[in-house]
Amino acid sequence: MNSTAGAREGHTAFPPKLRWTESTPLHLTWAGMMLGLFWKWKFFLLADRIYEAIPIHHEFFPTWLQSSTVLRIAFIASAISVVAAWITEQRGRRCFAAAVTWISATVMIWHQGSYNDMTFVTFWWCSLWAFWYTTRLEIDTPEELYRKAGRLSRVIVSVVLLGGASGKWTAEYWSGDVLWEIYFLDRDFWVFNWLRSSFDGETLRNIATIYSRKVVLVETVAGFAVWLLPARWAAIIGAVVFTSIALFSNFMLFSVLSPLIGLSLAGWMPRPRNDAEDVSASNNQIAASVGG
């Protein structure tokens, strides 16, 4: 009896098992967003010095969308607000912090110093999703929230993939000319260094064509498949596709793709567990402790 009681007391002291909670999709997305900003940091500092030395000037846009100070504030505010939203447990403050993240991201995709950087475009989409998610937490049931969040994440991932693919459905990409000049000629990256050292010029050019067509087809097919597949398959395929793009093209692309990797994984639909399963798992763990 005493040993059983001791086992029960010990069981309550065990660290909780890692489980999917309503906050997990948010944390995965925020982690990807923060990793993207971290990956961009060195480049951002360089760009900031350039914009300070050579101010942006464009008559069409208002002054504040050309100011390097505004861009600095937006970048820093986006990072701080993600952390603030993550650590707070109060719903109103979390929604406010998530809104600040999205507003900061909006400034960055409008600003003339960052509008053409895909890092801030993918960050913006993910911040929009995260803001929406925070407004539904504690309102929707977990099952309903997971279903909506998974569907919305797949829509965003599909939009990004198909947007990238549509820009590549050109004769220059299909022939391999674009990626031949960007990557295969002299890009210092492990894949292309190995290819240049292993194949002659003509073979390398043919590989560039195959590689380029593969990129176009993968983005196109994945863009449609992510939306059509079940949630779990879509989450895995999305994360794998985005990770492979950076691993086999350019590690710097993780600044663009990390938010999307997190968002893809956020679409994972956990299998529902009922109370009986939880009790059974708890009893099994207690029995194992007693037996030990």
Side-chain angles (χ1 to χ4, degrees), residues 222-245:
F224 286 112
V226 164
W227 172 243
L228 297 174
L229 288 173
R232 289 183 167 224
W233 279 103
I236 294 171
I237 289 176
V240 168
V241 167
F242 290 131
T243 302
S244 65
I245 290 173

Side-chain angles (χ1 to χ4, degrees), residues 13-167:
F14 289 161
K17 182 180 178 181
L18 290 177
R19 294 181 60 183
W20 188 282
T21 69
E22 290 181 76
S23 297
T24 303
L26 265 181
H27 293 164
L28 287 169
T29 305
W30 280 334
M33 291 164 63
M34 286 301 296
L35 183 59
L37 291 181
F38 174 78
W39 220 273
K40 177 63 65 176
W41 178 246
K42 185 180 293 186
F43 176 83
F44 181 82
L45 289 179
L46 174 61
D48 181 68
R49 287 195 292 269
I50 293 174
Y51 295 147
E52 187 66 29
I54 309 173
I56 300 171
H57 179 69
H58 198 300
E59 294 181 356
F60 180 80
F61 293 93
T63 303
W64 67 275
L65 283 179
Q66 304 173 54
S67 168
S68 58
T69 301
V70 170
L71 184 55
R72 288 189 206 112
I73 293 173
F75 187 93
I76 295 171
S78 64
I80 293 175
S81 57
V82 169
V83 175
W86 190 317
I87 64 177
T88 185
E89 296 294 332
Q90 206 278 329
R91 183 177 184 277
R93 294 175 182 174
R94 184 173 53 217
C95 290
F96 176 78
V100 171
T101 306
W102 177 70
I103 292 170
S104 301
T106 301
V107 171
M108 288 191 288
I109 64 171
W110 285 350
H111 196 282
Q112 293 304 288
S114 53
Y115 76 96
N116 60 346
D117 193 320
M118 277 302 296
T119 296
F120 304 122
V121 174
T122 59
F123 186 92
W124 183 87
W125 279 109
C126 293
S127 67
L128 177 62
W129 180 93
F131 173 60
W132 168 84
Y133 195 96
T134 60
T135 64
R136 304 312 304 169
L137 266 177
E138 303 173 20
I139 294 180
D140 294 339
T141 64
E143 292 76 15
E144 184 181 10
L145 182 59
Y146 294 151
R147 186 176 64 255
K148 291 179 180 177
R151 186 180 299 120
L152 183 56
S153 71
R154 292 195 296 277
V155 168
I156 292 174
V157 167
S158 293
V159 166
V160 173
L161 283 170
L162 292 176
S166 65

Side-chain angles (χ1 to χ4, degrees), residues 168-186:
K168 296 180 179 68
W169 276 107
T170 64
E172 291 78 12
Y173 265 97
W174 194 249
S175 67
D177 290 344
V178 174
L179 295 188
W180 166 256
E181 295 182 4
I182 293 176
Y183 289 137
F184 285 82
L185 276 178
D186 54 10

